[in-house]
Amino acid sequence: MLRLEETTGRTYEERMADAISSIPLIAEEWTNHNPSDPGITILENLILFEALQGSRISSVSDETRRALLKMVGFEARKGKCARLLLAADALREKTHLCNNQRFFLGDMVFETKRAQDVGECHLTGVRSFYDGAFHDHGHLFDREIVLPAKVFGDSPKVGDSLYLICDFLPEPGSETSFFIRINSDHHRNPLKDRSDNIFASFKWECYTQDGFQELKAKDFTGALLESGEIKLKFPPDMRYAEYKLGELSGYCIRATLTNANYDIRPCIIQIDAFLFEVWQKDTRAMAMTFQKTERIRVQSSMKGESYVLCFGRESKGDSYRRYELTTATGRRGRYCLCEKGRNGEYTLTFDRRLFGYEPSKVKDAVRIVVYNEEVMRQYHVGRVIGYDDQEIDLPFSHIVPDSFLLIAKRVDDFGEESFDFVRPGKKEDEALTYHLLENDGRIVIEDAGDFIGAELYIGSIAVTEGPKGNVRAGNYFTAPDISKKPIFYNPGSGTGGAFRETLEEVKVRFRQDVYTPYTCITAEDYENAVASVPGLCIRKIRAVMDELDNMVHISVLPGTDEEFPRLSKQYMDAITRELAERRLLTTRFQILPPVYVGVSVQLTVYVKRRYSNSREQIEERIRSLFSYIDGEKNFGDPLTFEEVFSGIESLECVDYVYDLYMQPENLKYAKLRDSNIYPAENCLLYPKQIQLETMLTSIAVK
């Protein structure tokens, strides 16, 4: 195979000189290297062909590279707007949010995707039931109090419940989200599906006139193991009823454990309730579709002055016609009455009797386009010429693909203007087909269809700041249309914000995948595979090959909050499933649970006079050297007399070690040879009993 550096860095003359100089090494009998020799003529043709082939390889287009990468399963990841959950608990009454309602964090804009009401529902109490009693956790919805709470105690069991008391609940048939912040310093591998719950699960219910009724729930916390969102959907026929729990009363949402095989006990720091979604994007132009043709109400939350264009469809399947906005009634033509209200509201009315024209009652009868001033000044982007792959620059970059829409204006033989709304990727006969390069702010017209000569205008556009929208948790946002103060709070960080991958980024990801082993061959492969099992907390792994039995022994220490972590059935099953897919067909493996062996030590140490806490320092050093669970030592690593001796003697408070003796408590899993301790392949040592005698130069202190 030709290498890229060979195709681009060498001329024909250099290649020919190298080939001729190699002839004596390959064929000693070939002595005529002059141009008249037929062999040289053949060689010249082959070298020229190689140079031409290299030139073609080095000039492969980006489209070809993308196609080749797609063949092996690598496509550019699409850009996404960052998603965020906001709390409206500072509002004390119901507040309506329109579609594309804007929220600001500094100069960054976040928007809603649908109209909704917020601010009516608030959390008023939190209780949990376990060990036969109720426990108050009312501080969990107070952001100024950070006090972790084990809401199910130290031994969660099936039937334990969490009660959330509220002053109101969302309308039946609607959805709401909770964000629960968990106190955990354990590293847990991400799940392939965030809604999977490996160790525990809940049944979510709401109290109604018919008792507790089950809710549909998507739990992205792993049943309270990680900070995340819980999305609840209320059935449309639900009839809420108040619930009394001790001195608390209100509407109640209850979560009951139906499976409780926790590896780490849940510990909650904060609960934020009745959150709504926003996305990091800034809409500059917005197209809205209406089915009715009489009175239309348009509301826009765009920043600054907005401009409205109106289009109507006068027959089924036909293109749109432009309707001018007017405030007078004594005119004939394509007009509609426009009344401008407060907060960017417009009311549009069509009337055939007054103006002689109105849209028909067909699908998508009316299109309303709202521009801000910036877009209105540059909304004309170019003309369709008709040649292949015509590129047109847009006035914006980092465009949200789902938001983009073009308006194509054509003029017929009678001078009548018609308008069509065209999205990227639309492929129909005689349609305008183009694709959007959202990062660069360009469109590429693949097929002009019947639109040669058409003028193109921006019909809808929003821009995003990509990964910058993944803001940290704990910010307060403003919404000028609602309040001048920053009152909307994000309990969790923004997620998902990204620009579309470039070709270079796809190539880097491809190379990384090629060099990342999937099939387990070496011990390191097995250890890496176990360390990355989705949903597990893994602290230590050691893989050892038993060549006689063709068996790989894998010792695993789970990262749980137990003093001596055990390897549960859930861990064993998850690791087995992962390794079964990645092992060689003829290789077997065995997962070994950890075995813990305590080590007792007796020693006499001479210490320096000026240190008053020398005993504490020595004992702490011994614990760190002997603790395989929390230390750097792994399964089966020997504990040598020399490293313990030198580790103690290296303390500044120590003059020298006079006597040292170590003894494992279980000789089945840890052998003592030549004063060194050799643990078994699945054994971890820990300090058991320390008998320490410290002595000064002339005075002994016990």
Side-chain angles (χ1 to χ4, degrees):
M1 177 181 289
L2 291 173
R3 295 186 178 182
L4 185 60
E5 58 269 19
E6 294 177 349
T7 64
T8 59
R10 304 174 67 210
T11 65
Y12 166 79
E13 289 76 13
E14 291 172 337
R15 296 168 189 266
M16 193 65 196
D18 288 346
I20 292 176
S21 64
S22 301
I23 292 175
L25 301 176
I26 300 171
E28 295 181 0
E29 64 276 11
W30 187 357
T31 58
N32 185 4
H33 302 160
N34 295 314
S36 59
D37 186 78
I40 296 298
T41 303
I42 295 173
L43 187 60
E44 288 174 341
N45 281 277
L46 292 174
I47 294 298
L48 181 60
F49 177 76
E50 180 192 50
L52 291 173
Q53 186 185 38
S55 175
R56 292 288 296 172
I57 290 175
S58 63
S59 62
V60 173
S61 66
D62 288 348
E63 287 71 20
T64 302
R65 289 188 173 91
R66 289 191 180 95
L68 291 171
L69 287 167
K70 185 177 180 180
M71 290 175 62
V72 292
F74 284 82
E75 290 187 82
R77 291 170 178 165
K78 296 180 179 179
K80 292 182 180 180
C81 300
R83 176 181 178 269
L84 201 64
L85 292 174
L86 290 184
D89 50 13
L91 299 174
R92 307 317 298 178
E93 59 184 14
K94 183 189 291 186
T95 301
H96 181 73
L97 304 180
C98 64
N99 183 25
N100 293 105
Q101 180 72 51
R102 297 160 69 87
F103 297 85
F104 294 87
L105 180 63
D107 295 331
M108 196 177 301
V109 183
F110 289 76
E111 298 179 351
T112 60
K113 283 189 177 180
R114 62 183 178 87
Q116 57 190 306
D117 294 324
V118 300
E120 186 180 26
C121 306
H122 305 86
L123 203 58
T124 59
V126 179
R127 298 283 191 276
S128 67
F129 180 83
Y130 64 89
D131 292 342
F134 283 96
H135 305 265
D136 185 7
H137 306 292
H139 64 281
L140 290 179
F141 58 90
D142 188 338
R143 297 193 187 103
E144 295 184 358
I145 300 176
V146 180
L147 183 62
K150 292 182 179 179
V151 291
F152 302 121
D154 291 325
S155 301
K157 296 178 287 295
V158 172
D160 291 349
S161 301
L162 182 67
Y163 291 79
L164 306 177
I165 308 299
C166 323
D167 53 2
F168 290 98
L169 286 175
E171 292 292 329
S174 63
E175 290 184 347
T176 192
S177 291
F178 289 67
F179 189 90
I180 300 184
R181 184 179 163 202
I182 304 299
N183 180 39
S184 177
D185 55 359
H186 302 275
H187 172 73
R188 188 178 296 276
N189 295 327
L191 288 163
K192 294 179 180 178
D193 183 348
R194 293 191 303 126
S195 61
D196 282 349
N197 296 331
I198 300 176
F199 302 101
S201 57
F202 285 102
K203 178 172 71 173
W204 288 86
E205 301 168 297
C206 180
Y207 190 71
T208 68
Q209 297 178 16
D210 303 316
F212 279 100
Q213 185 175 345
E214 189 168 356
L215 304 174
K216 290 184 178 180
K218 289 186 177 180
D219 185 351
F220 302 111
T221 69
L224 305 184
L225 286 176
E226 291 186 298
S227 299
E229 175 188 4
I230 296 176
K231 183 176 288 187
L232 301 178
K233 184 172 184 179
F234 298 85
D237 57 348
M238 183 168 281
R239 298 177 299 168
Y240 302 134
E242 289 197 18
Y243 186 80
K244 189 171 180 60
L245 187 61
E247 74 283 3
L248 274 178
S249 63
Y251 298 98
C252 179
I253 297 173
R254 182 175 71 179
T256 303
L257 278 170
T258 56
N259 179 25
N261 295 312
Y262 280 108
D263 60 341
I264 299 172
R265 293 179 284 274
C267 189
I268 299 178
I269 295 178
Q270 185 178 314
I271 299 176
D272 286 274
F274 307 112
L275 312 176
F276 62 94
E277 299 172 312
V278 293
W279 281 261
Q280 193 286 301
K281 62 188 181 76
D282 185 1
T283 300
R284 309 291 179 86
M286 178 173 53
M288 293 169 280
T289 304
F290 298 89
Q291 308 301 330
K292 61 181 181 179
T293 60
E294 294 85 15
R295 191 177 180 86
I296 294 174
R297 182 172 175 267
V298 179
Q299 187 174 13
S300 168
S301 62
M302 287 187 190
K303 184 178 180 181
E305 184 68 25
S306 57
Y307 301 85
V308 177
L309 297 183
C310 178
F311 303 87
R313 180 174 278 168
E314 296 176 350
S315 61
K316 184 177 180 181
D318 197 6
S319 298
Y320 288 87
R321 304 292 179 173
R322 171 83 179 273
Y323 281 75
E324 298 289 342
L325 306 183
T326 183
T327 57
T329 58
R331 312 173 72 174
R332 302 292 289 180
R334 289 190 174 94
Y335 294 99
C336 68
L337 283 173
C338 176
E339 301 176 23
K340 187 175 180 180
R342 297 179 179 178
N343 299 325
E345 294 180 5
Y346 294 86
T347 302
L348 307 180
T349 305
F350 297 92
D351 196 325
R352 183 185 295 274
R353 293 174 303 171
L354 291 176
F355 305 114
Y357 293 90
E358 70 176 4
S360 298
K361 295 181 179 179
V362 296
K363 183 180 179 182
D364 302 339
V366 178
R367 291 261 196 169
I368 305 297
V369 182
V370 183
Y371 298 96
N372 67 9
E373 185 173 0
E374 181 186 12
V375 177
M376 194 65 188
R377 292 179 181 274
Q378 48 189 341
Y379 77 138
H380 178 253
V381 296
R383 173 180 292 184
V384 181
I385 305 301
Y387 60 84
D388 291 344
D389 295 333
Q390 177 189 353
E391 292 191 11
I392 298 178
D393 290 330
L394 302 173
F396 304 98
S397 59
H398 297 308
I399 299 167
V400 180
D402 295 340
S403 75
F404 189 73
L405 182 66
L406 282 177
I407 304 175
K409 183 181 78 172
R410 293 180 289 179
V411 181
D412 61 21
D413 295 338
F414 302 100
E416 288 280 338
E417 294 180 347
S418 62
F419 299 84
D420 292 270
F421 292 78
V422 188
R423 292 196 177 275
K426 183 178 181 181
K427 295 184 179 180
E428 297 177 0
D429 292 341
E430 308 305 328
L432 177 64
T433 303
Y434 69 95
H435 64 266
L436 173 68
L437 303 176
E438 62 264 32
N439 285 358
D440 302 328
R442 296 201 314 274
I443 62 170
V444 180
I445 299 175
E446 303 166 25
D447 187 356
D450 283 344
F451 287 81
I452 296 177
E455 300 290 343
L456 300 180
Y457 301 86
I458 293 175
S460 177
I461 191 170
V463 296
T464 179
E465 299 190 49
K468 191 176 177 181
N470 299 327
V471 298
R472 294 181 178 180
N475 302 291
Y476 283 89
F477 292 66
T478 57
D481 298 339
I482 301 171
S483 172
K484 302 299 181 183
K485 297 180 180 180
I487 60 174
F488 296 95
Y489 176 81
N490 68 307
S493 59
T495 58
F499 294 132
R500 184 181 182 86
E501 269 189 324
T502 64
L503 177 59
E504 287 302 316
E505 290 170 336
V506 179
K507 289 163 66 176
V508 168
R509 187 158 54 88
F510 169 69
R511 293 191 196 102
Q512 290 174 343
D513 184 79
V514 167
Y515 289 108
T516 300
Y518 178 80
T519 302
C520 295
I521 299 175
T522 67
E524 184 180 2
D525 294 339
Y526 278 94
E527 291 172 358
N528 291 335
V530 173
S532 60
V533 176
L536 301 189
C537 295
I538 303 295
R539 193 182 301 178
K540 293 180 185 292
I541 317 121
R542 171 61 61 85
V544 178
M545 182 66 189
D546 185 345
E547 296 182 358
L548 293 177
D549 291 339
N550 194 27
M551 173 85 72
V552 180
H553 295 165
I554 306 164
S555 305
V556 181
L557 175 67
T560 67
D561 52 7
E562 299 172 303
E563 183 179 5
F564 298 104
R566 59 184 180 86
L567 198 63
S568 65
K569 183 179 183 300
Q570 286 75 22
Y571 271 76
M572 297 279 282
D573 292 345
I575 295 172
T576 299
R577 286 193 299 269
E578 183 74 14
L579 295 182
E581 296 179 358
R582 301 178 62 170
R583 67 178 177 89
L584 291 173
L585 186 62
T586 58
T587 303
R588 298 175 298 154
F589 63 87
Q590 181 181 11
I591 303 170
L592 303 177
V595 174
Y596 305 98
V597 173
V599 178
S600 299
V601 59
Q602 299 177 10
L603 70 163
T604 302
V605 180
Y606 279 83
V607 298
K608 299 174 183 177
R609 290 179 177 274
R610 63 179 180 273
Y611 292 92
S612 59
N613 63 339
S614 55
R615 175 178 288 275
E616 290 78 8
Q617 291 186 46
I618 295 169
E619 290 182 351
E620 181 61 30
R621 175 60 59 88
I622 292 172
R623 292 189 183 93
S624 65
L625 292 170
F626 285 32
S627 180
Y628 281 39
I629 300 174
D630 299 318
E632 296 180 359
K633 291 277 192 178
N634 203 349
F635 288 100
D637 287 348
L639 181 65
T640 65
F641 180 89
E642 174 60 30
E643 66 178 306
V644 176
F645 187 93
S646 60
I648 298 171
E649 202 168 58
S650 64
L651 291 171
E652 289 189 6
C653 64
V654 174
D655 194 0
Y656 63 92
V657 178
Y658 177 76
D659 188 28
L660 173 64
Y661 176 73
M662 303 182 299
Q663 175 66 42
E665 65 174 1
N666 189 334
L667 295 178
K668 178 181 178 181
Y669 293 102
K671 307 297 184 183
L672 180 63
R673 294 198 303 268
D674 300 328
S675 299
N676 302 322
I677 299 176
Y678 297 89
E681 60 182 341
N682 65 327
C683 178
L684 295 171
L685 304 179
Y686 68 94
K688 188 67 180 291
Q689 184 177 4
I690 301 175
Q691 296 182 9
L692 170 62
E693 182 180 13
T694 59
M695 303 182 68
L696 298 176
T697 304
S698 59
I699 303 175
V701 180
K702 294 186 179 180

